[in-house]
Amino acid sequence: SQQGEEDPQALSIQEGENATMNCSYKTSINNLQWYRQNSGRGLVHLILIRSNEREKHSGRLRVTLDTSKKSSSLLITASRAADTASYFCATDKDSSYKLIFGSGTRLLVRP
Amino acid sequence: DTAVSQTPKYLVTQMGNDKSIKCEQNLGHDTMYWYKQDSKKFLKIMFSYNNKELIINETVPNRFSPKSPDKAHLNLHINSLELGDSAVYFCASSQDPAGKTQYFGPGTRLLVL
């Protein structure tokens, strides 16, 4: 069964605004990752946060993880039209080699 | 200099045919994966190989058979194609199986008519 659920399913913002996407999962995890998928392309890894970390930054990306709530958020600051893509969270569970992907958030950044 | 490559990029075929998709990675990774992405963008793991050994085999019809001739290649053969097999199939690789970053290929868009 699907491990992660993203919220919202779709998000439309103006260039320059911040975009926040949320991911909830069901079981304990080792790591949580965020990936981006541009239309018609493969997924690209953005950032990985370990279960013992609470926040991580990479450029304009900020990821938080709340293991008590089994949720994570991805914040993209000062969005650009090129950020238009689908964003997926992916978790790997204890003692499992599998990455389980969420349902994705489709982000549209309007120029 | 492509890291993970797949061929073909597009595949249109008739129901009942047998087809293969090939994947190669030049990253020196030990682990490779096949995923299926449906029309709703839901991405699901199908198989994973680590050093040519099968380590993940999800509930996939046995019409799907992966084959890893060496750790840089993972091919997917599909027998007796059905309409429901239409999807985008992604190959990916990682340094090892343990929840590491995965690198995805560009995908193979399969349409079964």
Side-chain angles (χ1 to χ4, degrees):
Chain A
S1 63
Q2 198 169 338
Q3 166 79 321
E5 295 281 340
E6 267 108 330
D7 167 56
Q9 288 188 349
L11 181 61
S12 178
I13 59 173
Q14 202 70 40
E15 202 165 27
E17 293 180 340
N18 295 342
T20 300
M21 289 158 267
N22 303 297
C23 167
S24 59
Y25 55 91
K26 298 174 184 173
T27 64
S28 62
I29 62 170
N30 286 331
N31 307 293
L32 186 143
Q33 303 181 44
W34 285 90
Y35 286 80
R36 184 188 73 229
Q37 183 179 29
N38 290 85
S39 180
R41 309 289 288 273
L43 278 75
V44 174
H45 177 258
L46 294 175
I47 197 165
L48 180 151
I49 187 166
R50 302 188 191 287
S51 58
N52 61 356
E53 296 177 311
R54 291 297 166 256
E55 187 170 314
K56 205 159 183 181
H57 296 254
S58 176
R60 293 184 295 112
L61 305 180
R62 173 178 167 250
V63 169
T64 61
L65 179 64
D66 187 336
T67 52
S68 66
K69 295 181 179 177
K70 294 187 171 57
S71 67
S72 173
S73 67
L74 170 67
L75 168 67
I76 304 174
T77 59
S79 63
R80 305 166 182 168
D83 294 328
T84 294
S86 292
Y87 292 81
F88 295 87
C89 67
T91 55
D92 62 278
K93 300 191 291 181
D94 293 340
S95 304
S96 169
Y97 293 145
K98 289 192 293 188
L99 263 192
I100 307 295
F101 283 83
S103 49
T105 292
R106 292 186 308 280
L107 174 66
L108 172 65
V109 181
R110 304 187 304 274
Chain B
D1 58 347
T2 306
V4 182
S5 58
Q6 294 178 228
T7 54
K9 189 170 181 179
Y10 298 97
L11 189 50
V12 181
T13 188
Q14 297 288 330
M15 226 168 34
N17 284 351
D18 303 339
K19 291 292 178 185
S20 291
I21 308 171
K22 295 186 176 181
C23 178
E24 177 181 1
Q25 54 95 4
N26 62 5
L27 296 167
H29 287 166
D30 286 344
T31 312
M32 296 184 73
Y33 310 81
W34 277 113
Y35 288 88
K36 179 180 180 182
Q37 188 174 45
D38 63 23
S39 56
K40 296 183 180 179
K41 302 289 188 182
F42 177 40
L43 194 71
K44 188 172 180 184
I45 182 76
M46 299 173 70
F47 302 103
S48 177
Y49 273 73
N50 185 55
N51 265 322
K52 302 193 296 175
E53 288 193 22
L54 183 67
I55 58 170
I56 296 174
N57 186 357
E58 287 295 283
T59 309
V60 176
N62 57 15
R63 299 181 294 103
F64 290 78
S65 51
K67 191 167 185 180
S68 182
D70 55 62
K71 71 175 192 177
H73 296 84
L74 180 61
N75 304 322
L76 183 65
H77 188 76
I78 315 170
N79 289 326
S80 304
L81 278 155
E82 300 178 356
L83 296 177
D85 298 332
S86 295
V88 183
Y89 292 85
F90 287 99
C91 176
S93 72
S94 65
Q95 188 177 356
D96 59 57
K100 295 291 195 300
T101 298
Q102 293 187 13
Y103 295 80
F104 282 76
T108 294
R109 284 139 193 86
L110 172 64
L111 177 60
V112 182
L113 302 174

